[in-house]
């Protein structure tokens, strides 16, 4: 088994990839702050079991969901990628836009801190493994 195939390292890699994609989505929300009728999006956080295996996601870290009525139904209640759809108690702008810049920027900074924590754990775990096998 390769070092990168360890479940905990795989879970950390998946988590880092999720944070990268979430940063893209949040940046898109901020960039469309003045677009009429734009609704902010967010990603569903991946879930892991005790051994670090991804739970609920088939191919990647996100579960399948039905985005149109013509799509095949998904068993179970899949979470929405639309977040709360702007119904979090904040008023929408006169143009019909539901982006709250303060909320989006808080999410961006929290995402950045979580990504830094995951990368630190990943690099320290690799360092410990290298020390254990005598490569350091």
């Amino acid at each position: 088994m390769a070092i990168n195939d360890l479940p905990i390292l795989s879970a950390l890699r998946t988590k880092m990839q999720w944070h990268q994609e979430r940063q893209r989505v949040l940046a898109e929300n901020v960039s469309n702050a003045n677009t009429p009728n734009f609704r902010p999006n967010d990603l569903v956080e991946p879930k892991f079991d005790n051994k670090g295996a991804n739970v609920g996601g088939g191919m990647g870290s996100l579960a399948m969901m039905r985005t149109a009525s013509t799509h095949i139904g998904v068993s179970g209640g899949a979470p929405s990628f639309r977040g709360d759809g702007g119904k979090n108690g904040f008023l929408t702008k006169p143009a019909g836009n539901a982006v709250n810049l303060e909320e989006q920027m808080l999410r961006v900074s929290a995402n950045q801190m979580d990504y830094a924590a995951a990368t630190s754990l990943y690099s320290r775990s690799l360092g410990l493994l290298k020390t254990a096998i005598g490569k350091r």
Side-chain angles (χ1 to χ4, degrees):
M1 174 190 281
I3 289 178
N4 287 334
D5 292 338
L6 294 173
I8 189 68
L9 294 180
S10 177
L12 284 170
R13 266 196 322 276
T14 300
K15 186 75 168 165
M16 289 187 298
Q17 291 168 347
W18 179 82
H19 282 297
Q20 289 172 346
E21 183 63 19
R22 185 170 191 228
Q23 191 73 12
R24 185 195 62 77
V25 169
L26 294 174
E28 186 177 288
N29 290 346
V30 171
S31 68
N32 285 305
N34 293 326
T35 304
N37 299 323
F38 181 80
R39 299 283 180 233
N41 298 312
D42 205 350
L43 296 182
V44 178
E45 191 166 359
K47 303 224 182 325
F48 300 99
D49 63 8
N50 293 346
K51 297 176 183 167
N54 194 4
V55 176
M59 214 42 180
S61 61
L62 301 174
M64 289 178 45
M65 68 175 285
R66 187 175 182 177
T67 57
S69 61
T70 57
H71 292 170
I72 297 174
V74 178
S75 60
S80 171
F81 283 95
R82 290 277 179 197
D84 62 2
K87 299 175 187 166
N88 57 5
F90 297 107
L91 297 175
T92 59
K93 295 181 181 180
N97 188 319
V99 175
N100 182 318
L101 286 176
E102 291 84 10
E103 178 187 349
Q104 294 301 314
M105 295 310 290
L106 283 173
R107 288 181 182 181
V108 166
S109 62
N111 189 56
Q112 181 181 7
M113 288 187 295
D114 291 344
Y115 180 80
T119 55
S120 176
L121 281 171
Y122 188 80
S123 62
R124 287 176 188 234
S125 297
L126 283 178
L128 284 172
L129 289 171
K130 287 179 181 178
T131 301
I133 61 174
K135 295 284 184 174
R136 254 192 200 184

